[in-house]
mmCIF file of all heavy atoms in Angstrom:
data_model
loop_
_atom_site.group_PDB
_atom_site.id
_atom_site.type_symbol
_atom_site.label_atom_id
_atom_site.label_comp_id
_atom_site.label_asym_id
_atom_site.label_seq_id
_atom_site.Cartn_x
_atom_site.Cartn_y
_atom_site.Cartn_z
ATOM 1 N N ALA A 1 161.572 119.740 -129.189
ATOM 2 C CA ALA A 1 162.703 119.295 -130.028
ATOM 3 C C ALA A 1 163.139 120.609 -130.771
ATOM 4 O O ALA A 1 162.371 121.438 -131.180
ATOM 5 C CB ALA A 1 162.233 118.397 -131.060
ATOM 6 N N GLU A 2 164.498 120.781 -130.775
ATOM 7 C CA GLU A 2 165.035 121.947 -131.428
ATOM 8 C C GLU A 2 166.300 121.544 -132.147
ATOM 9 O O GLU A 2 167.028 120.628 -131.759
ATOM 10 C CB GLU A 2 165.365 123.063 -130.474
ATOM 11 C CG GLU A 2 166.315 122.734 -129.326
ATOM 12 C CD GLU A 2 166.527 123.916 -128.358
ATOM 13 O OE1 GLU A 2 165.723 124.791 -128.355
ATOM 14 O OE2 GLU A 2 167.595 123.957 -127.763
ATOM 15 N N GLN A 3 166.507 122.309 -133.270
ATOM 16 C CA GLN A 3 167.685 121.922 -134.111
ATOM 17 C C GLN A 3 168.148 123.142 -134.800
ATOM 18 O O GLN A 3 167.330 123.959 -135.373
ATOM 19 C CB GLN A 3 167.315 120.778 -135.141
ATOM 20 C CG GLN A 3 168.513 120.317 -135.903
ATOM 21 C CD GLN A 3 168.200 119.104 -136.750
ATOM 22 O OE1 GLN A 3 167.036 118.791 -137.000
ATOM 23 N NE2 GLN A 3 169.193 118.458 -137.325
ATOM 24 N N CYS A 4 169.484 123.305 -134.888
ATOM 25 C CA CYS A 4 170.118 124.355 -135.743
ATOM 26 C C CYS A 4 170.653 123.621 -136.983
ATOM 27 O O CYS A 4 171.073 122.434 -136.900
ATOM 28 C CB CYS A 4 171.196 125.076 -135.043
ATOM 29 S SG CYS A 4 170.711 126.191 -133.739
ATOM 30 N N ARG A 5 170.575 124.309 -138.130
ATOM 31 C CA ARG A 5 171.205 123.751 -139.312
ATOM 32 C C ARG A 5 172.682 123.360 -139.034
ATOM 33 O O ARG A 5 173.446 124.173 -138.495
ATOM 34 C CB ARG A 5 171.058 124.643 -140.550
ATOM 35 C CG ARG A 5 171.451 124.025 -141.859
ATOM 36 C CD ARG A 5 170.996 124.874 -142.961
ATOM 37 N NE ARG A 5 169.484 124.947 -143.096
ATOM 38 C CZ ARG A 5 168.701 123.937 -143.584
ATOM 39 N NH1 ARG A 5 169.344 122.909 -144.030
ATOM 40 N NH2 ARG A 5 167.412 124.104 -143.623
ATOM 41 N N ASN A 6 173.045 122.171 -139.434
ATOM 42 C CA ASN A 6 174.382 121.660 -139.219
ATOM 43 C C ASN A 6 174.730 121.399 -137.686
ATOM 44 O O ASN A 6 175.861 121.253 -137.328
ATOM 45 C CB ASN A 6 175.510 122.557 -139.784
ATOM 46 C CG ASN A 6 175.344 122.785 -141.258
ATOM 47 O OD1 ASN A 6 174.974 121.817 -142.042
ATOM 48 N ND2 ASN A 6 175.503 123.978 -141.727
ATOM 49 N N GLY A 7 173.633 121.445 -136.900
ATOM 50 C CA GLY A 7 173.805 121.118 -135.525
ATOM 51 C C GLY A 7 173.072 119.921 -135.071
ATOM 52 O O GLY A 7 172.202 119.366 -135.797
ATOM 53 N N PRO A 8 173.233 119.481 -133.792
ATOM 54 C CA PRO A 8 172.577 118.344 -133.347
ATOM 55 C C PRO A 8 171.092 118.541 -133.056
ATOM 56 O O PRO A 8 170.601 119.700 -132.746
ATOM 57 C CB PRO A 8 173.255 117.953 -132.068
ATOM 58 C CG PRO A 8 173.808 119.273 -131.571
ATOM 59 C CD PRO A 8 174.072 120.055 -132.766
ATOM 60 N N LEU A 9 170.267 117.543 -133.180
ATOM 61 C CA LEU A 9 168.855 117.594 -132.760
ATOM 62 C C LEU A 9 168.808 117.317 -131.275
ATOM 63 O O LEU A 9 169.393 116.331 -130.766
ATOM 64 C CB LEU A 9 168.039 116.535 -133.567
ATOM 65 C CG LEU A 9 166.532 116.378 -133.117
ATOM 66 C CD1 LEU A 9 165.776 117.666 -133.479
ATOM 67 C CD2 LEU A 9 165.941 115.207 -133.863
ATOM 68 N N VAL A 10 168.229 118.210 -130.538
ATOM 69 C CA VAL A 10 168.081 118.057 -129.068
ATOM 70 C C VAL A 10 166.655 117.935 -128.626
ATOM 71 O O VAL A 10 165.797 118.633 -129.104
ATOM 72 C CB VAL A 10 168.755 119.338 -128.324
ATOM 73 C CG1 VAL A 10 168.694 119.159 -126.790
ATOM 74 C CG2 VAL A 10 170.170 119.492 -128.806
ATOM 75 N N VAL A 11 166.448 116.943 -127.713
ATOM 76 C CA VAL A 11 165.135 116.601 -127.319
ATOM 77 C C VAL A 11 164.940 116.795 -125.815
ATOM 78 O O VAL A 11 165.749 116.318 -125.054
ATOM 79 C CB VAL A 11 164.672 115.172 -127.752
ATOM 80 C CG1 VAL A 11 163.245 114.866 -127.319
ATOM 81 C CG2 VAL A 11 164.748 115.088 -129.324
ATOM 82 N N PHE A 12 163.912 117.510 -125.433
ATOM 83 C CA PHE A 12 163.506 117.593 -124.027
ATOM 84 C C PHE A 12 162.143 116.973 -123.876
ATOM 85 O O PHE A 12 161.353 116.897 -124.801
ATOM 86 C CB PHE A 12 163.425 119.098 -123.640
ATOM 87 C CG PHE A 12 164.650 119.882 -123.846
ATOM 88 C CD1 PHE A 12 164.929 120.458 -125.059
ATOM 89 C CD2 PHE A 12 165.621 120.000 -122.814
ATOM 90 C CE1 PHE A 12 166.093 121.206 -125.277
ATOM 91 C CE2 PHE A 12 166.795 120.762 -123.053
ATOM 92 C CZ PHE A 12 167.039 121.332 -124.213
ATOM 93 N N ALA A 13 161.877 116.556 -122.618
ATOM 94 C CA ALA A 13 160.479 116.088 -122.403
ATOM 95 C C ALA A 13 160.199 116.458 -120.899
ATOM 96 O O ALA A 13 161.056 116.939 -120.123
ATOM 97 C CB ALA A 13 160.410 114.534 -122.479
ATOM 98 N N GLY A 14 158.929 116.326 -120.538
ATOM 99 C CA GLY A 14 158.583 116.703 -119.171
ATOM 100 C C GLY A 14 157.158 116.542 -118.873
ATOM 101 O O GLY A 14 156.380 116.024 -119.648
ATOM 102 N N ILE A 15 156.810 116.886 -117.606
ATOM 103 C CA ILE A 15 155.442 116.826 -117.132
ATOM 104 C C ILE A 15 155.209 118.149 -116.373
ATOM 105 O O ILE A 15 156.057 118.686 -115.669
ATOM 106 C CB ILE A 15 155.207 115.653 -116.245
ATOM 107 C CG1 ILE A 15 153.735 115.507 -115.855
ATOM 108 C CG2 ILE A 15 156.121 115.591 -115.041
ATOM 109 C CD1 ILE A 15 153.426 114.260 -115.241
ATOM 110 N N LYS A 16 153.969 118.769 -116.514
ATOM 111 C CA LYS A 16 153.682 119.981 -115.849
ATOM 112 C C LYS A 16 152.220 119.911 -115.286
ATOM 113 O O LYS A 16 151.523 118.975 -115.528
ATOM 114 C CB LYS A 16 153.781 121.157 -116.774
ATOM 115 C CG LYS A 16 152.739 121.134 -117.904
ATOM 116 C CD LYS A 16 152.859 122.432 -118.732
ATOM 117 C CE LYS A 16 151.765 122.577 -119.761
ATOM 118 N NZ LYS A 16 151.779 123.824 -120.535
ATOM 119 N N ASP A 17 151.916 120.887 -114.434
ATOM 120 C CA ASP A 17 150.606 120.960 -113.861
ATOM 121 C C ASP A 17 150.244 119.726 -113.064
ATOM 122 O O ASP A 17 149.076 119.248 -113.004
ATOM 123 C CB ASP A 17 149.563 121.237 -114.900
ATOM 124 C CG ASP A 17 149.673 122.518 -115.637
ATOM 125 O OD1 ASP A 17 150.448 123.431 -115.169
ATOM 126 O OD2 ASP A 17 149.084 122.659 -116.739
ATOM 127 N N LEU A 18 151.272 119.088 -112.435
ATOM 128 C CA LEU A 18 151.084 117.928 -111.599
ATOM 129 C C LEU A 18 150.942 118.420 -110.145
ATOM 130 O O LEU A 18 151.885 118.869 -109.510
ATOM 131 C CB LEU A 18 152.295 116.962 -111.735
ATOM 132 C CG LEU A 18 152.171 115.680 -110.919
ATOM 133 C CD1 LEU A 18 151.070 114.823 -111.434
ATOM 134 C CD2 LEU A 18 153.568 114.938 -111.056
ATOM 135 N N LYS A 19 149.704 118.254 -109.623
ATOM 136 C CA LYS A 19 149.514 118.766 -108.254
ATOM 137 C C LYS A 19 149.654 117.663 -107.225
ATOM 138 O O LYS A 19 149.017 116.590 -107.390
ATOM 139 C CB LYS A 19 148.039 119.376 -108.187
ATOM 140 C CG LYS A 19 147.865 120.565 -109.020
ATOM 141 C CD LYS A 19 146.515 121.202 -108.880
ATOM 142 C CE LYS A 19 146.373 122.538 -109.742
ATOM 143 N NZ LYS A 19 145.062 123.163 -109.546
ATOM 144 N N LEU A 20 150.496 117.858 -106.252
ATOM 145 C CA LEU A 20 150.862 116.859 -105.285
ATOM 146 C C LEU A 20 150.602 117.353 -103.821
ATOM 147 O O LEU A 20 150.802 118.600 -103.542
ATOM 148 C CB LEU A 20 152.290 116.428 -105.411
ATOM 149 C CG LEU A 20 152.619 115.841 -106.804
ATOM 150 C CD1 LEU A 20 154.182 115.671 -106.952
ATOM 151 C CD2 LEU A 20 151.997 114.509 -107.058
ATOM 152 N N MET A 21 150.263 116.459 -102.933
ATOM 153 C CA MET A 21 150.104 116.856 -101.578
ATOM 154 C C MET A 21 150.406 115.621 -100.634
ATOM 155 O O MET A 21 150.069 114.468 -101.011
ATOM 156 C CB MET A 21 148.597 117.245 -101.287
ATOM 157 C CG MET A 21 148.302 117.528 -99.824
ATOM 158 S SD MET A 21 146.569 117.752 -99.495
ATOM 159 C CE MET A 21 146.265 119.352 -100.195
ATOM 160 N N LYS A 22 151.028 115.853 -99.499
ATOM 161 C CA LYS A 22 151.058 114.941 -98.482
ATOM 162 C C LYS A 22 150.755 115.711 -97.140
ATOM 163 O O LYS A 22 151.221 116.769 -96.998
ATOM 164 C CB LYS A 22 152.410 114.191 -98.438
ATOM 165 C CG LYS A 22 153.689 114.979 -98.131
ATOM 166 C CD LYS A 22 154.807 113.969 -98.126
ATOM 167 C CE LYS A 22 156.140 114.637 -97.792
ATOM 168 N NZ LYS A 22 157.271 113.653 -97.806
ATOM 169 N N THR A 23 149.994 115.041 -96.271
ATOM 170 C CA THR A 23 149.401 115.745 -95.202
ATOM 171 C C THR A 23 150.246 115.703 -93.876
ATOM 172 O O THR A 23 149.897 116.295 -92.880
ATOM 173 C CB THR A 23 147.993 115.180 -94.893
ATOM 174 O OG1 THR A 23 148.084 113.736 -94.674
ATOM 175 C CG2 THR A 23 147.066 115.524 -96.078
ATOM 176 N N THR A 24 151.370 114.946 -93.889
ATOM 177 C CA THR A 24 152.291 114.883 -92.813
ATOM 178 C C THR A 24 153.658 114.593 -93.372
ATOM 179 O O THR A 24 153.895 114.470 -94.501
ATOM 180 C CB THR A 24 151.862 113.898 -91.720
ATOM 181 O OG1 THR A 24 152.715 114.019 -90.543
ATOM 182 C CG2 THR A 24 151.796 112.492 -92.214
ATOM 183 N N GLN A 25 154.581 114.245 -92.374
ATOM 184 C CA GLN A 25 155.990 113.866 -92.804
ATOM 185 C C GLN A 25 156.579 114.976 -93.538
ATOM 186 O O GLN A 25 157.330 114.826 -94.562
ATOM 187 C CB GLN A 25 156.001 112.604 -93.580
ATOM 188 C CG GLN A 25 155.731 111.288 -92.827
ATOM 189 C CD GLN A 25 157.048 110.962 -92.026
ATOM 190 O OE1 GLN A 25 157.503 111.706 -91.174
ATOM 191 N NE2 GLN A 25 157.554 109.753 -92.220
ATOM 192 N N SER A 26 156.340 116.280 -93.146
ATOM 193 C CA SER A 26 156.949 117.412 -93.816
ATOM 194 C C SER A 26 157.108 118.458 -92.659
ATOM 195 O O SER A 26 156.274 118.608 -91.830
ATOM 196 C CB SER A 26 156.129 117.960 -94.934
ATOM 197 O OG SER A 26 156.651 119.180 -95.348
ATOM 198 N N GLY A 27 158.224 119.217 -92.685
ATOM 199 C CA GLY A 27 158.386 120.264 -91.806
ATOM 200 C C GLY A 27 159.324 121.315 -92.325
ATOM 201 O O GLY A 27 159.904 121.191 -93.494
#
């Protein structure tokens, strides 16, 4: 969350370190 005085409050969200694998259907 970040805000400047007299400015809007802006919110970000997310996910990290998510390890994914599929063993076929990729090329």
